[in-house]
Amino acid sequence: MKKRNPIYTAGSFLLAGALTLSMAACSAAQTQAPAEAAQTPSATAAPAATAAPAEETAPSAPDTDALPVKALQPKQVEENPYMAKSDANIHHDGYNTDSTDEILPLGIYPEIHVSYETTNANASPAIYFDSYGHAVVPLLGGIAIRDLNAEETKTLGYFSPKQHDGGSYLIQSSYTFLDAENRIVCPTSNNHVLMLRATDEEGNVLPEFEKVLDIDIKAAAEAALGKELTQNLLSVVFDYDGNLWFATGGFRIYPERQQQGVLGYIAHSAIEAILNGEQTDLSKAVFVYELTPGEGAENGIAASKDGAVILTNKNCYLLRANNGVEAVWCTPYESVGAKVSGEGDKTTGGGLAWGGGCSPTLTPNLVMFTDNADPVNLLALDMKTGEVVAKTPVLDDLPDGYQVAIENSAIVYDDGAGTVSTIVCNWFGAGNAGLADPNNDSSIQSYANIYDQNWLMKGNAMIAPGVERVDTVKTDSGYEMKSIWTRNDLSDTAIMKLSTATGYIYGYVQDLTTGMWQYIILDFETGDTVFTMDVSNKYGYNNMAIGMYTGNSGNALYCPTGYLELLRLQDRFVYLPELPYREVDLDQAARNVLTQDQFAQDGGEGTVASWRNTATIRNVHPNTTVAFRMNNLSGSASDLTLYAYGADGKLAKVAPELWSITDETGAAATELTDGVLYELRVTVADGGDFDLSETEKEIKLSVVLGK
């Protein structure tokens, strides 16, 4: 296992959105302080490698502890034409896979950087990204595009309900998403859905977002239903025809309390008409499916070409727009109800959901989710029919004194060859047990109301452990499930993320022996911990049950904390070997997967042999050597050709005398071994053919190797 002492450099969590629950049957009618470096590594299976000081770039001795690349096939998600081509929601995509095809850190001279919060009460949570790479985050009850890499988190543009709309409502950011035009689509606490224009046609951020659509969904749904709704709007998503689906729900909506809820959609034609400034009769454009009182959605909606998949506290539905809500299928599942700690438990909190707390996740052929039975089961449903084609207990061998509640969305990865891998994490203990009280106002979005105070103060010792990978395998006779690995020594609430580009699972946990909060990387294949990097043992570095976020730089893993710090783990994969005192700005550098098709389209010959590496270096000399560190090269160096992008967006060969591949000491490397860290050294002239920056004494270089 690679373990690092942290390097910190300086660069809020308003509880994001509605985490909610509901219930019933398929018979419903259709009608503060900076992070502190640890003196002792948190946990290790091998001696820790000491990282270079933050002010230096060139190491004093070779360091070959970088993780080998174990790339997987890209995730099997068909692009939604009405959503942004990016990690456009908190689960990365409309399938809710919690996986990314972007590159994430590999322990190449890793560093932890900090952006300090000066506006919100806590570090920015619920981060998602538009197609331009802008980070969209909650801000004081509204929504904003912010620079999360600045030393102090900087707001570039925003929308405030109070300031810009004269409203006292809040934007529910958990189930906000970006559409294909990079407009922000968001449900609100007063049951409206808003669409906000945040950038101009060139991608420049508007200082004040323009509200281009505002629909009172509750009023429209009540008009269509002919009765009052007693649940609030929870989540929204576009289907693949541009219809906007919505679901109502809330915390702990017990069946016996009989709240009335609905599922439904707003027709694409009505949305387009509103955006075009036309008068629209919503009575002819809003369609609802009435739920049995006491049933409601608990989490986000997933969508594919087959329709919208919604999990309530009682059933899983596949719904389609067909001049009305068509319930293609409805599959009930089991729940023992809301779970709280009992006498003798090692926890004091509980779960949030009455039913299954896990958002449904899609593959091209299956719907995956967990129920809330005892033991909890992972279910695979046939996308076409809703039939349960496979089912197995998960996290069913925990030590005595622990319960299971899977409240965070599972990671689901379809390899495209018949195997669907699902990683589930136990969340039990983080929820406030007081949510079970009949008089509790679950609409109050605060740490104190939602989360167990013992967890907030004492950390993950108060969380039930358990992380498990289960594979659902297609066979000649159907599907079968099998457990691949289980980790009962990890307690996690961070919504772990899978990178298909690297083949690793990324999380943020607390070492229960030392109390140290730390970034952690697990091997997808084995579940083994292969890397940790310490942050702090202060209780405020709890990640507050908010997920990890990745962006599109290929070199940032963001983690909000309970303090005023947003952490980002980064590799120092680029440096200037001739100028060891100079530090390349990692936020101006990127690593991206370049597909073979794109490589050929851009002018490359042969086979793409590396990631695309990009860096911007300021205040350069007329000719500057830039070194990119990489460990996914193999074969003979003489077989490689270096290409650089020009201003026309096309690849051109770089003359052999301008580049070389060396080891970490600078010695020429001839035979390359996958997993060994090498340096691609490129000499580039300011203002030359391969300098993509028009600024004097600034170089922007973007290169890729071909074979």
Side-chain angles (χ1 to χ4, degrees), residues 346-382:
K346 298 177 181 178
T347 57
T348 56
L352 288 177
W354 190 96
C358 177
S359 293
T361 303
L362 312 184
T363 77
N365 301 308
L366 299 174
V367 176
M368 312 294 299
F369 66 92
T370 53
D371 63 17
N372 196 27
D374 189 12
V376 171
N377 297 289
L378 174 66
L379 286 79
L381 276 57
D382 184 283

Side-chain angles (χ1 to χ4, degrees), residues 2-9 49-54 56 63 65-67 105-113 519 521 531-534 555 568-573 586 591 629 677:
K2 314 299 184 187
K3 179 184 62 62
R4 301 302 182 111
N5 291 321
I7 296 174
Y8 297 105
T9 63
T50 302
E56 295 182 2
D63 183 335
D65 281 347
L67 297 174
L106 285 163
I108 299 175
Y109 298 95
E111 300 173 1
I112 294 173
H113 296 255
Y519 277 98
I521 301 177
F531 173 96
T532 63
M533 194 163 184
D534 292 339
N555 191 37
R568 64 188 185 279
L569 176 67
Q570 295 176 294
D571 284 343
R572 187 153 291 284
F573 74 95
L586 294 179
R591 297 176 297 193
R629 294 170 168 135
L677 196 61

Side-chain angles (χ1 to χ4, degrees), residues 620-687:
V620 296
H621 295 266
N623 289 283
T624 299
T625 298
V626 181
F628 296 101
R629 294 170 168 135
M630 54 184 70
N631 67 338
N632 54 346
L633 301 177
S634 61
S636 174
S638 62
D639 292 337
L640 298 174
T641 300
L642 183 66
Y643 292 86
Y645 277 90
D648 59 357
K650 294 297 183 180
L651 289 168
K653 293 180 180 179
V654 180
E657 62 269 19
L658 296 179
W659 68 278
S660 63
I661 295 177
T662 75
D663 63 17
E664 291 188 83
T665 68
T670 55
E671 292 299 320
L672 310 176
T673 302
D674 191 23
V676 175
L677 196 61
Y678 297 105
E679 295 181 5
L680 169 62
R681 297 190 174 195
V682 188
T683 300
V684 59
D686 184 18

Side-chain angles (χ1 to χ4, degrees), residues 289-532:
Y289 181 98
E290 181 180 356
L291 295 173
T292 300
E295 180 180 11
E298 301 185 291
N299 291 285
I301 306 170
S304 72
K305 279 191 169 181
D306 287 288
V309 176
I310 302 177
L311 186 71
T312 71
N313 56 339
K314 287 286 191 176
N315 305 290
C316 186
Y317 296 86
L318 174 64
L319 305 175
R320 288 190 191 133
N322 187 13
N323 199 31
V325 179
E326 176 189 354
V328 182
W329 50 256
C330 170
T331 302
Y333 69 92
E334 297 300 317
S335 173
V336 296
K339 295 176 179 177
V340 296
S341 295
E343 185 177 350
D345 282 359
K346 298 177 181 178
T347 57
T348 56
L352 288 177
W354 190 96
C358 177
S359 293
T361 303
L362 312 184
T363 77
N365 301 308
L366 299 174
V367 176
M368 312 294 299
F369 66 92
T370 53
D371 63 17
N372 196 27
D374 189 12
V376 171
N377 297 289
L378 174 66
L379 286 79
L381 276 57
D382 184 283
M383 177 66 79
K384 304 297 183 185
T385 67
E387 176 190 359
V388 178
V389 295
K391 176 180 176 180
T392 191
V394 292
L395 304 176
D396 57 342
D397 60 349
L398 298 183
D400 291 341
Y402 290 115
Q403 298 186 53
V404 176
I406 298 173
E407 305 284 0
N408 281 339
S409 180
I411 296 171
V412 175
Y413 169 67
D414 185 337
D415 69 359
T419 298
V420 173
S421 299
T422 303
I423 291 91
V424 295
C425 297
N426 200 356
W427 200 88
F428 184 86
N432 185 347
L435 284 173
D437 298 338
N439 296 325
N440 182 284
D441 183 359
S442 62
S443 67
I444 298 174
Q445 305 287 298
S446 70
Y447 287 156
N449 192 51
I450 295 172
Y451 293 142
D452 176 58
Q453 283 297 305
N454 276 324
W455 173 57
L456 295 180
M457 301 298 294
K458 298 179 182 179
N460 280 5
M462 305 304 297
I463 297 292
V467 180
E468 184 173 3
R469 171 183 161 186
V470 175
D471 281 4
T472 305
V473 182
K474 183 79 167 71
T475 68
D476 292 340
S477 57
Y479 292 89
E480 64 179 28
M481 283 182 172
K482 56 183 178 181
S483 178
I484 303 302
W485 50 259
T486 304
R487 293 288 302 270
N488 286 345
D489 59 324
L490 289 181
S491 295
D492 169 72
T493 59
I495 313 182
M496 289 180 167
K497 304 297 181 185
L498 169 67
S499 166
T500 63
T502 65
Y504 294 101
I505 298 167
Y506 295 77
Y508 183 84
V509 302
Q510 186 181 35
D511 184 301
L512 299 184
T513 302
T514 65
M516 187 65 64
W517 294 98
Q518 58 189 198
Y519 277 98
I520 187 170
I521 301 177
L522 306 181
D523 188 305
F524 171 75
E525 182 180 354
T526 66
D528 293 338
T529 300
V530 293
F531 173 96
T532 63

Side-chain angles (χ1 to χ4, degrees), residues 283 399 502 703:
S283 68
T502 65
V703 297

